[in-house]
Amino acid sequence: MNSHLKVTLDAPLAHLNTFGIKARATALVEVGKPGAVPAAIDLAKRELPSPLLALGDGSNLLFTRDFPGTIIRLTANRIRFDALDSDRPEVIAEGGSNWHRLVLTCAKEGLWGTENLALIPGTCGAAPIQNIGAYGVELHESLSGVEAFHLESGEKRMFETAECQLGYRTSRFREQDEQAYLLTRIHLRLTRTPNPRLSYPGVAERLNDAELSPLAIAHAVAALRQQKLPDPRFEGNAGSFFKNPVIPEDQLAGLLDEWPDLPYFPTPSGQIKLSAAWLIDRAGWRGFRRGGVGVSTKHALVLVNYGNGTGQEILDLSHAIADSVQDRFSVRLHPEPRII
Ligand code: NAP
């Protein structure tokens, strides 16, 4: 057996998903370095049950049942720089690296580009899958490439950023190539040229001009998130459960007639982005609790497992919320996490 592979049969998954759902996988293969991924795929295809599922920290997925196949999880977590002294250094992170550690590592080097994405839970390998975004910045702005292995063929492939088809909380890895690849390294191109992005409420208020640096912004964003979002260590959750809905411009006037304080944001495509949290809050769901699950009291977009909830209970609750928002506002909400 390859020394970089660790196989567990009938593996508990509660610590591998931030909802803390007590699901199990028929098999789990943990892979200690990217170069061992082909051996892991080969082993899984020969000796372990299908299908294969790539998993990071489980911060953007919901297990609604035991997983009947094999989970492959890259634990390799090296972060290194290329041309660090240049104006546009590259950072290369192995897929199992914690995303927030990457943000802090880059910010401490004085590099701009990821600071607004501080404290987003999850691994670097998971970041491109939903094109993580927060506080007016998305990963696509700094991503320069992705290394991945195809889970069926075991072949390695490099993707340029354009080939990743990154969109609003989506990418090819959530569309035509959903669950087809294990992302083993990401490459980001950052800059030493100051580029503070402070348009979102709350960030600038936590800073003063004297301390404007990537690290100061990362700390400000992290503090804001800690204040506004429940901590998954105490209340299992996967961050935003729904994407912000995007509606045609001609639907906006009718909504504003009825809801004059509706927040809305024009997008570059001319459509209108609404705040899913506001819609859910107005539909009366914030703080709602049923069985072991509910809607966070802190943030209406966050569904919570209070300890003994099941994934199915969370999914059922999400359907009830989406239906009630649809009835009230004629707007459909779509989940952000992957439902397994
Ligand atoms: P908020 O300030 O209460 O705003 C609610 C929504 O309005 C946000 O989702 C945001 O959309 C949008 N928004 C606010 N100011 C905007 C602006 N100047 N231009 C365009 N859109 C604007 O937001 P919040 O819920 O506390 O979240 C703050 C940031 O953290 C947001 O960027 C949010 O996406 C991110 N966040 C992400 C997760 C996750 O799990 N993915 C969880 C919590 C928060 P956008 O979402 O498009 O930015």
Side-chain angles (χ1 to χ4, degrees):
M1 163 85 73
N2 187 312
S3 64
H4 296 287
L5 304 184
K6 181 182 169 210
V7 179
T8 309
L9 299 179
D10 189 25
L13 300 174
H15 64 297
L16 293 181
N17 73 98
T18 58
F19 264 121
I21 299 296
K22 296 184 182 89
R24 305 183 81 84
T26 309
L28 167 70
V29 182
E30 288 168 294
V31 190
K33 68 173 194 176
V37 169
I41 294 171
D42 186 51
L43 174 76
K45 286 175 74 175
R46 276 188 294 109
E47 298 181 21
L48 300 171
S50 294
L52 304 190
L53 173 73
L55 181 69
D57 282 346
S59 59
N60 196 42
L61 96 182
L62 176 66
F63 286 111
T64 57
R65 59 190 172 120
D66 289 341
F67 184 68
T70 299
I71 290 182
I72 299 195
R73 185 163 181 264
L74 181 67
T75 54
N77 61 7
R78 277 198 329 151
I79 296 174
R80 67 181 175 84
F81 291 100
D82 200 23
L84 183 56
D85 294 332
S86 73
D87 284 342
R88 303 267 292 144
E90 188 175 38
V91 56
I92 301 148
E94 291 178 336
S97 324
N98 175 269
W99 171 261
H100 183 58
R101 182 166 74 89
L102 174 132
V103 171
L104 292 182
T105 304
C106 297
K108 282 177 187 160
E109 292 289 349
L111 300 176
W112 295 84
T114 58
E115 59 281 358
N116 288 40
L117 307 180
L119 216 61
I120 293 183
T123 61
C124 290
I129 295 174
Q130 60 156 344
N131 183 23
I132 56 171
Y135 295 98
V137 173
E138 285 186 355
L139 179 72
H140 80 85
E141 297 169 59
S142 53
L143 190 76
S144 56
V146 166
E147 296 175 35
F149 284 90
H150 195 268
L151 286 172
E152 186 54 42
S153 68
E155 277 174 21
K156 184 173 176 178
R157 172 147 179 207
M158 303 284 302
F159 291 94
E160 306 271 328
T161 309
E163 293 176 297
C164 295
Q165 298 165 18
L166 303 179
Y168 175 61
R169 303 293 186 270
T170 193
S171 71
R172 71 181 296 153
F173 308 111
R174 286 208 65 171
E175 301 288 338
Q176 75 267 34
D177 282 329
E178 176 146 39
Q179 291 174 34
Y181 286 95
L182 175 65
L183 277 53
T184 46
R185 284 195 187 88
I186 62 168
H187 297 235
L188 308 184
R189 184 69 69 184
L190 303 177
T191 178
R192 293 197 174 278
T193 305
N195 185 23
R197 305 275 290 274
L198 306 175
S199 66
Y200 270 49
V203 184
E205 290 85 330
R206 286 179 175 266
L207 298 160
N208 61 56
D209 290 346
E211 61 170 22
L212 208 53
S213 68
L215 193 56
I217 294 175
H219 285 151
V221 167
L224 255 179
R225 291 183 71 104
Q226 276 166 332
Q227 180 194 324
K228 293 178 83 167
L229 293 165
D231 186 333
R233 287 174 303 174
F234 308 114
E235 292 182 356
N237 74 82
S240 311
F241 196 90
F242 296 101
K243 299 179 192 185
N244 284 329
V246 177
I247 60 166
E249 194 186 5
D250 57 16
Q251 197 183 341
L252 180 64
L255 282 168
L256 284 173
D257 279 347
E258 202 170 343
W259 311 95
D261 54 344
L262 175 86
Y264 65 95
F265 306 92
T267 68
S269 69
Q271 293 182 297
I272 304 294
K273 181 180 71 177
L274 303 179
S275 162
W278 188 93
L279 299 171
I280 296 166
D281 212 347
R282 279 305 169 97
W285 288 99
R286 182 141 59 100
F288 176 87
R289 196 164 168 159
R290 182 164 71 194
V293 305
V295 181
S296 170
T297 51
K298 287 177 107 173
H299 202 305
L301 205 42
V302 181
L303 304 194
V304 175
N305 171 18
Y306 287 106
N308 286 313
T310 65
Q312 190 59 49
E313 281 180 294
I314 291 186
L315 189 62
D316 291 345
L317 174 60
S318 78
H319 290 153
I321 293 170
D323 287 348
S324 101
V325 165
Q326 170 87 48
D327 286 349
R328 186 170 292 218
F329 303 102
S330 301
V331 171
R332 193 68 201 167
L333 295 180
H334 297 284
E336 192 174 301
R338 285 190 293 163
I339 313 293
I340 307 290

